[in-house]
Amino acid sequence: MSKKEKFLWALAFSAIAILTLLPFFQVGFTCGDDFQYYNTAQGTWSQMRADAESYAHQSGRFYFLITKYFYCIPYLIDSFAWTKFVQYGSLLLCYVLFAYTAGRIFRSVRLGMLTLLLLIFNTFIGANWHYPPTAYPFYFSFSLMVYLCSILLFVSYTEKGGSWRLILSAIVCFIACLFYEDYIIFTILFGCCILVRHWRTSGFLPMLKSKQFY
């Protein structure tokens, strides 16, 4: 692909992204949770810590002690423009990283670009007030980026080797799982992919005896 073609592709994707996301910059708070996170972010650090402890105690989810602060990042500056910049800047970065991951796994730049196009094109303002593109800014997009980094580290390990990549992938995966329980389901699927990969390359019984598999 020539430099001119790359420029035209980038220009086309930028235009699609702007036209798709422009209406979102007229959307304010869509759920009570976001309004509460905004109020928490306007308080002191001790108030934010007390809020995290309260959430962890009431819901029985210890990870709020670690992750609850990330809910407040879009509201640390009391500015609508800042909130939207964080919300949709992180959403676009998440889209790009997901598309790059797809292209990297299937070794197809065109597939990655098509994935990015479909992700942007299918982003819409829904009637569900808890729909992630309009609610919970930054939190879900950031946590998914962390999880995608874990997958990319594992892909790099399969291509280049290096135990440190595998260990770092596991650590990053664990961190991502602290953000939301659904990532545990992703991790099970991730584990199934690893199992199938070793099964195809080594066979079932040799796989069970292999330290590398575990």
Side-chain angles (χ1 to χ4, degrees), residues 120-194:
I120 296 175
F121 187 75
N122 285 284
T123 302
F124 59 92
I125 298 176
N128 185 350
W129 291 353
H130 298 274
Y131 181 52
T134 54
Y136 310 104
F138 180 74
Y139 183 79
F140 283 112
S141 54
F142 174 74
S143 61
L144 183 54
M145 282 191 283
V146 173
Y147 198 90
L148 289 171
C149 286
S150 171
I151 295 176
L152 286 171
L153 281 166
F154 181 78
V155 172
S156 295
Y157 164 75
T158 61
E159 296 173 345
K160 304 175 183 178
S163 299
W164 67 269
R165 290 188 177 91
L166 190 61
I167 295 171
L168 187 58
S169 174
I171 293 173
V172 174
C173 181
F174 173 75
I175 293 172
C177 288
L178 291 174
F179 282 85
Y180 196 48
E181 297 96 331
D182 281 7
Y183 289 123
I184 297 175
I185 299 174
F186 293 174
T187 304
I188 293 172
L189 295 175
F190 195 178
C192 290
C193 291
I194 296 172

Side-chain angles (χ1 to χ4, degrees), residues 90-121:
S90 61
L91 182 65
L92 282 176
L93 283 176
C94 184
Y95 283 175
V96 169
L97 191 58
F98 185 90
Y100 174 74
T101 303
R104 182 82 176 275
I105 290 174
F106 293 99
R107 299 180 181 179
S108 172
V109 176
R110 293 181 182 275
L111 177 62
M113 296 172 71
L114 177 61
T115 302
L116 179 59
L117 178 64
L118 290 174
L119 286 170
I120 296 175
F121 187 75

